Short mmCIF file of all heavy atoms in Angstrom, two decimals:
data_model
loop_
_atom_site.label_atom_id
_atom_site.label_comp_id
_atom_site.label_asym_id
_atom_site.label_seq_id
_atom_site.Cartn_x
_atom_site.Cartn_y
_atom_site.Cartn_z
N LYS X 1 114.04 117.43 95.04
CA LYS X 1 112.61 117.70 95.14
C LYS X 1 111.82 116.38 95.04
O LYS X 1 110.85 116.16 95.76
CB LYS X 1 112.17 118.68 94.06
CG LYS X 1 110.76 119.16 94.19
CD LYS X 1 110.49 120.23 93.16
CE LYS X 1 109.29 121.02 93.58
NZ LYS X 1 109.58 122.37 93.97
N LEU X 2 112.26 115.48 94.16
CA LEU X 2 111.60 114.17 94.02
C LEU X 2 111.76 113.34 95.29
O LEU X 2 110.89 112.55 95.65
CB LEU X 2 112.16 113.40 92.82
CG LEU X 2 111.82 113.95 91.45
CD1 LEU X 2 112.56 113.17 90.38
CD2 LEU X 2 110.33 113.91 91.19
N ASN X 3 112.88 113.52 95.99
CA ASN X 3 113.12 112.78 97.23
C ASN X 3 112.16 113.18 98.34
O ASN X 3 112.00 112.46 99.32
CB ASN X 3 114.56 112.97 97.70
CG ASN X 3 115.53 112.16 96.87
OD1 ASN X 3 115.16 111.14 96.29
ND2 ASN X 3 116.77 112.61 96.82
N GLU X 4 111.50 114.33 98.19
CA GLU X 4 110.54 114.79 99.19
C GLU X 4 109.21 114.02 99.11
O GLU X 4 108.43 114.07 100.05
CB GLU X 4 110.26 116.29 99.01
CG GLU X 4 111.47 117.16 99.28
CD GLU X 4 111.23 118.62 98.93
OE1 GLU X 4 110.07 118.97 98.60
OE2 GLU X 4 112.19 119.40 98.98
N LEU X 5 108.97 113.34 98.01
CA LEU X 5 107.71 112.61 97.83
C LEU X 5 107.64 111.40 98.77
O LEU X 5 108.64 110.72 98.99
CB LEU X 5 107.56 112.13 96.39
CG LEU X 5 107.41 113.21 95.33
CD1 LEU X 5 107.45 112.58 93.94
CD2 LEU X 5 106.11 113.97 95.52
N ASP X 6 106.44 111.14 99.27
CA ASP X 6 106.23 109.97 100.11
C ASP X 6 105.92 108.77 99.21
O ASP X 6 104.87 108.71 98.58
CB ASP X 6 105.06 110.22 101.07
CG ASP X 6 104.77 109.00 101.94
OD1 ASP X 6 105.70 108.19 102.14
OD2 ASP X 6 103.63 108.89 102.42
N THR X 7 106.85 107.85 99.13
CA THR X 7 106.68 106.67 98.27
C THR X 7 106.56 105.40 99.10
O THR X 7 106.76 104.30 98.58
CB THR X 7 107.87 106.53 97.31
OG1 THR X 7 109.07 106.45 98.07
CG2 THR X 7 107.95 107.70 96.35
N SER X 8 106.19 105.53 100.36
CA SER X 8 106.13 104.36 101.24
C SER X 8 105.04 103.38 100.82
O SER X 8 105.16 102.18 101.05
CB SER X 8 105.91 104.79 102.69
OG SER X 8 104.72 105.55 102.80
N ASP X 9 103.96 103.85 100.16
CA ASP X 9 102.88 102.97 99.73
C ASP X 9 103.01 102.53 98.28
O ASP X 9 102.11 101.89 97.73
CB ASP X 9 101.52 103.67 99.93
CG ASP X 9 101.21 103.89 101.40
OD1 ASP X 9 101.69 103.08 102.23
OD2 ASP X 9 100.49 104.86 101.71
N VAL X 10 104.10 102.88 97.63
CA VAL X 10 104.29 102.55 96.22
C VAL X 10 105.09 101.26 96.13
O VAL X 10 106.19 101.16 96.68
CB VAL X 10 105.01 103.69 95.47
CG1 VAL X 10 105.23 103.31 94.01
CG2 VAL X 10 104.23 104.98 95.58
N GLU X 11 104.54 100.30 95.41
CA GLU X 11 105.21 99.01 95.26
C GLU X 11 106.37 99.13 94.27
O GLU X 11 106.22 99.72 93.20
CB GLU X 11 104.21 97.98 94.73
CG GLU X 11 104.76 96.59 94.62
CD GLU X 11 103.72 95.61 94.09
OE1 GLU X 11 102.52 95.84 94.30
OE2 GLU X 11 104.13 94.62 93.46
N PRO X 12 107.55 98.62 94.61
CA PRO X 12 108.69 98.68 93.68
C PRO X 12 108.38 97.90 92.40
O PRO X 12 107.66 96.90 92.43
CB PRO X 12 109.82 98.01 94.44
CG PRO X 12 109.40 97.96 95.85
CD PRO X 12 107.90 97.99 95.86
N MET X 13 108.90 98.38 91.28
CA MET X 13 108.67 97.69 90.01
C MET X 13 109.93 97.74 89.16
O MET X 13 110.76 98.62 89.33
CB MET X 13 107.49 98.31 89.27
CG MET X 13 107.65 99.76 88.93
SD MET X 13 106.15 100.34 88.14
CE MET X 13 106.55 102.05 87.92
N SER X 14 110.04 96.78 88.26
CA SER X 14 111.20 96.75 87.39
C SER X 14 110.89 97.35 86.02
O SER X 14 111.79 97.72 85.29
CB SER X 14 111.71 95.32 87.22
OG SER X 14 110.71 94.52 86.64
N HIS X 15 109.61 97.42 85.65
CA HIS X 15 109.19 97.98 84.37
C HIS X 15 107.99 98.89 84.60
O HIS X 15 107.20 98.67 85.52
CB HIS X 15 108.79 96.89 83.39
CG HIS X 15 109.92 96.02 82.97
ND1 HIS X 15 110.54 95.14 83.84
CD2 HIS X 15 110.58 95.89 81.80
CE1 HIS X 15 111.51 94.50 83.21
NE2 HIS X 15 111.55 94.94 81.97
N THR X 16 107.82 99.87 83.73
CA THR X 16 106.68 100.76 83.87
C THR X 16 105.39 100.10 83.38
O THR X 16 104.31 100.46 83.82
CB THR X 16 106.89 102.06 83.08
OG1 THR X 16 107.25 101.74 81.73
CG2 THR X 16 107.97 102.90 83.72
N PHE X 17 105.51 99.15 82.48
CA PHE X 17 104.35 98.42 81.97
C PHE X 17 104.47 96.95 82.34
O PHE X 17 105.58 96.43 82.47
CB PHE X 17 104.26 98.54 80.44
CG PHE X 17 104.06 99.94 79.97
CD1 PHE X 17 105.10 100.66 79.41
CD2 PHE X 17 102.83 100.57 80.10
CE1 PHE X 17 104.94 101.95 78.98
CE2 PHE X 17 102.65 101.87 79.67
CZ PHE X 17 103.70 102.56 79.11
N PRO X 18 103.36 96.25 82.49
CA PRO X 18 103.45 94.82 82.79
C PRO X 18 104.18 94.07 81.65
O PRO X 18 103.94 94.33 80.48
CB PRO X 18 102.00 94.35 82.86
CG PRO X 18 101.16 95.56 82.84
CD PRO X 18 101.99 96.72 82.40
N VAL X 19 105.06 93.19 82.03
CA VAL X 19 105.83 92.44 81.04
C VAL X 19 105.24 91.03 80.95
O VAL X 19 105.10 90.34 81.95
CB VAL X 19 107.32 92.37 81.44
CG1 VAL X 19 108.10 91.54 80.44
CG2 VAL X 19 107.90 93.76 81.54
N ALA X 20 104.90 90.64 79.73
CA ALA X 20 104.37 89.29 79.51
C ALA X 20 105.03 88.70 78.28
O ALA X 20 105.36 89.41 77.33
CB ALA X 20 102.86 89.35 79.31
N ASN X 21 105.24 87.41 78.30
CA ASN X 21 105.83 86.72 77.16
C ASN X 21 104.78 86.66 76.05
O ASN X 21 103.70 86.11 76.22
CB ASN X 21 106.27 85.32 77.57
CG ASN X 21 107.10 84.67 76.51
OD1 ASN X 21 107.23 85.19 75.41
ND2 ASN X 21 107.67 83.54 76.84
N VAL X 22 105.11 87.23 74.89
CA VAL X 22 104.16 87.27 73.78
C VAL X 22 104.56 86.33 72.65
O VAL X 22 104.09 86.48 71.53
CB VAL X 22 104.03 88.70 73.22
CG1 VAL X 22 103.41 89.62 74.24
CG2 VAL X 22 105.38 89.24 72.78
N MET X 23 105.40 85.36 72.95
CA MET X 23 105.85 84.45 71.90
C MET X 23 104.79 83.39 71.63
O MET X 23 104.10 82.93 72.53
CB MET X 23 107.17 83.81 72.32
CG MET X 23 108.24 84.85 72.56
SD MET X 23 109.79 84.15 73.04
CE MET X 23 110.46 83.75 71.45
N ARG X 24 104.68 83.04 70.37
CA ARG X 24 103.72 82.01 70.00
C ARG X 24 104.33 80.63 70.19
O ARG X 24 105.54 80.48 70.29
CB ARG X 24 103.28 82.19 68.55
CG ARG X 24 104.41 82.01 67.55
CD ARG X 24 103.89 82.09 66.12
NE ARG X 24 104.95 82.14 65.17
CZ ARG X 24 105.68 81.11 64.76
NH1 ARG X 24 105.46 79.93 65.26
NH2 ARG X 24 106.63 81.26 63.87
N GLU X 25 103.49 79.63 70.20
CA GLU X 25 103.96 78.27 70.33
C GLU X 25 104.68 77.87 69.05
O GLU X 25 104.26 78.22 67.94
CB GLU X 25 102.77 77.33 70.56
CG GLU X 25 103.16 75.92 70.87
CD GLU X 25 101.95 75.04 71.14
OE1 GLU X 25 100.93 75.56 71.59
OE2 GLU X 25 102.06 73.83 70.90
N ASP X 26 105.78 77.16 69.16
CA ASP X 26 106.57 76.74 68.02
C ASP X 26 105.94 75.50 67.40
O ASP X 26 106.00 74.41 67.97
CB ASP X 26 108.00 76.45 68.46
CG ASP X 26 108.93 76.27 67.27
OD1 ASP X 26 108.53 76.59 66.14
OD2 ASP X 26 110.06 75.81 67.48
N VAL X 27 105.32 75.67 66.23
CA VAL X 27 104.64 74.57 65.56
C VAL X 27 105.27 74.38 64.18
O VAL X 27 105.41 75.34 63.41
CB VAL X 27 103.13 74.88 65.39
CG1 VAL X 27 102.42 73.77 64.65
CG2 VAL X 27 102.49 75.12 66.75
#
């Protein structure tokens, strides 16, 4: 049933949320 959906305009992604480096600077 999911294969019936039109996903041609959906951009592929590797994560559901944006991934950003949250590490602080090493001081």
Side-chain angles (χ1 to χ4, degrees):
K1 188 174 199 111
L2 291 174
N3 285 335
E4 295 173 7
L5 294 173
D6 178 24
T7 58
S8 58
D9 293 332
V10 178
E11 184 180 332
M13 59 183 177
S14 61
H15 294 69
T16 52
F17 297 104
V19 177
N21 190 352
V22 294
M23 301 180 84
R24 64 176 171 78
E25 187 178 332
D26 191 12
V27 178

